[in-house]
Amino acid sequence: MTSENNAMTWDWLKLLCVTIMATLVFEHSQLDVRISELFYNNGHWLLEKGAQPYAFIFYDLPKALLILLAVYLIAVLIIKYRQSRFNATAPNRSKLSYNKLDKFLLPLPMREIGYLLIILVIVPATIATLKGVTHVSCPNDLAIFNGDLPYLNLWQNIIAATPARCFPAAHASAGFSLYGLAFLPTLRKYCYQIVISVTVLGWTMGLYKMLFGDHFFSHTLVSMLLSLTIACALAALFFKQSIKNKAHSTNDDKRNTGLSLSSIEHSNT
């Protein structure tokens, strides 16, 4: 196993450990309370829940765009699959049928499109499932912010089975699901730019919810780390073979270069 393949295989475990540590350190912490206090003054949150145009810009619009992206990816997968079937049976007819659609199709292999689609679905679904298990309260539900519920830690909330469902942050996870783009082999050279852009997008969506007490800081932080962990783990599964092929190709190039240099040295002597 190559070092690059080994790194991809184990990086998600490192990220999972970081996610667990962040949960234990920051969830139910004074840091969470202090940050939320910045958005709460005289019994009122900085932003009213559902206030427009903020709700449309930071909640409805991002959700709608991500749903449209998922639908688009499904359509591209179907078209590319049908195109590949036609290419195998009637290449000329396939070309005539699909060349007009090519400019609207995402220029990525089907495996990468499938991976991205799965990430867009599984990340928010995983976060939503965890919310139903953790039973952590939102800041605006807590007595310390003029609510009705006590401020309990994660384990106490699970045992008490409180009606709340606020940890991790689900809305922000929809934006963080785009971390999948950073793991696509085709977009590897844009990895850092993608990570930065997706982080800004996810935290913008998370901060919007924090402004009216729907989430603590740790809720968005854990959502970000968990989304990155899931994206990395599935990338190790989906693109393991492509990493191996790339490594073999690199080794062959090095071997050929070594043979060429050896031939040059012999010819000079």
Side-chain angles (χ1 to χ4, degrees):
M1 183 178 289
T2 66
S3 59
E4 186 178 1
N5 193 15
N6 186 63
M8 176 65 81
T9 302
W10 293 102
D11 276 351
W12 72 269
L13 284 175
K14 298 175 186 176
L15 285 167
L16 181 59
C17 290
V18 172
T19 304
I20 295 172
M21 289 174 60
T23 301
L24 297 176
V25 172
F26 294 107
E27 200 279 325
H28 192 76
S29 68
Q30 283 302 306
L31 178 63
D32 262 353
V33 175
R34 293 290 177 262
I35 292 176
S36 288
E37 284 176 346
L38 297 176
F39 312 130
Y40 185 79
N41 189 31
N42 295 326
H44 297 284
W45 291 95
L46 191 61
L47 190 66
E48 183 181 350
K49 187 172 183 176
Q52 297 293 352
Y54 309 106
F56 173 76
I57 296 172
F58 298 110
Y59 188 83
D60 297 327
L61 182 60
K63 282 184 64 175
L65 291 177
L66 288 166
I67 291 172
L68 287 175
L69 175 59
V71 172
Y72 169 72
L73 291 177
I74 293 172
V76 171
L77 270 179
I78 294 172
I79 293 172
K80 282 182 174 284
Y81 174 75
R82 290 176 62 86
Q83 190 173 17
S84 65
R85 292 290 299 272
F86 274 111
N87 282 336
T89 56
N92 293 332
R93 182 158 60 94
S94 175
K95 184 176 180 180
L96 291 173
S97 301
Y98 286 100
N99 59 357
K100 293 182 180 180
L101 293 175
D102 285 345
K103 60 183 178 180
F104 299 108
L105 302 182
L106 199 62
L108 294 174
M110 289 181 63
R111 176 172 287 270
E112 295 188 16
I113 296 173
Y115 161 80
L116 186 58
L117 178 61
I118 289 174
I119 290 295
L120 288 176
V121 173
I122 201 171
V123 166
T126 301
I127 301 295
T129 301
L130 286 174
K131 286 176 62 175
V133 173
T134 57
H135 297 285
V136 173
S137 301
C138 304
N140 53 27
D141 291 326
L142 299 175
I144 57 176
F145 292 110
N146 204 30
D148 301 320
L149 299 176
Y151 186 32
L152 306 176
N153 62 35
L154 178 60
W155 181 248
Q156 289 171 329
N157 277 303
I158 293 174
I159 296 299
T162 57
R165 292 165 53 91
C166 287
F167 177 82
H171 180 57
S173 74
F176 290 133
S177 66
L178 292 175
Y179 276 135
L181 291 167
F183 294 94
L184 299 181
T186 302
L187 303 179
R188 186 182 300 275
K189 62 181 179 180
Y190 304 112
C191 175
Y192 294 108
Q193 295 92 321
I194 292 171
V195 168
I196 292 172
S197 300
V198 173
T199 300
V200 171
L201 172 63
W203 274 100
T204 300
M205 295 169 69
L207 180 61
Y208 163 71
K209 298 280 278 185
M210 290 167 63
L211 290 176
F212 51 84
D214 256 19
H215 285 298
F216 280 119
F217 165 82
S218 66
H219 298 184
T220 302
L221 176 65
V222 172
S223 181
M224 177 189 75
L225 293 173
L226 187 56
S227 300
L228 196 55
T229 300
I230 295 171
C232 185
L234 286 180
L237 179 64
F238 267 73
F239 308 126
K240 185 175 182 178
Q241 190 58 46
S242 66
I243 292 172
K244 284 183 177 180
N245 293 339
K246 180 184 175 184
H248 291 157
S249 177
T250 302
N251 290 335
D252 291 340
D253 290 342
K254 289 180 179 178
R255 192 177 300 112
N256 292 334
T257 302
L259 291 173
S260 299
L261 290 174
S262 178
S263 300
I264 293 173
E265 289 175 355
H266 282 299
S267 63
N268 288 338
T269 56

